[in-house]
Amino acid sequence: AFNLPFARFDAHGDFSYGTYIYAFPVQQGLALLRVQEGGFGLYFVWSLLLTLILAILSYRLIEAPCLRWKKLDIAALIRACSKRFAPSADPGSIAVVP
């Protein structure tokens, strides 16, 4: 993939995982609806279109938000939370430090 002549091939997102996940169920669903009886071309176009739509939605709604989490600094988050909630004299209450 690194030797493809396309510049910024994945500029709009990487839909490969969604394509991998959704292609088979879409093809099986279309087969249950007997779309293949209209010919291979029709079956192929519907499979490609539906799979691409699901892959794009999957990337935008699930994968991209989760990928932003991998840059999260857990140690900094724990330090910030520990400074915000300081222990108080009363063990039954939590004092919030501004």
Side-chain angles (χ1 to χ4, degrees):
F2 292 107
N3 294 326
L4 290 175
F6 309 113
R8 299 279 303 148
F9 181 73
D10 61 346
H12 298 289
D14 182 6
F15 311 122
S16 60
Y17 186 68
T19 302
Y20 169 74
I21 293 294
Y22 296 113
F24 182 73
V26 165
Q27 292 166 359
Q28 294 300 302
L30 290 174
L32 284 173
L33 296 173
R34 299 179 186 265
V35 175
Q36 78 279 8
E37 292 176 1
F40 176 74
L42 181 67
Y43 179 71
F44 178 76
V45 168
W46 274 108
S47 295
L48 184 65
L49 181 66
L50 291 175
T51 300
L52 186 59
I53 289 170
L54 290 173
I56 290 170
L57 287 173
S58 175
Y59 182 79
R60 299 281 185 228
L61 299 176
I62 300 169
E63 293 175 52
C66 289
L67 285 173
R68 285 192 291 266
W69 289 354
K70 79 177 190 178
K71 297 177 185 175
L72 184 65
D73 185 4
I74 300 295
L77 183 62
I78 291 171
R79 284 192 303 273
C81 287
S82 66
K83 288 179 184 176
R84 180 145 176 89
F85 297 103
S88 67
D90 182 17
S93 68
I94 296 177
V96 178
V97 178

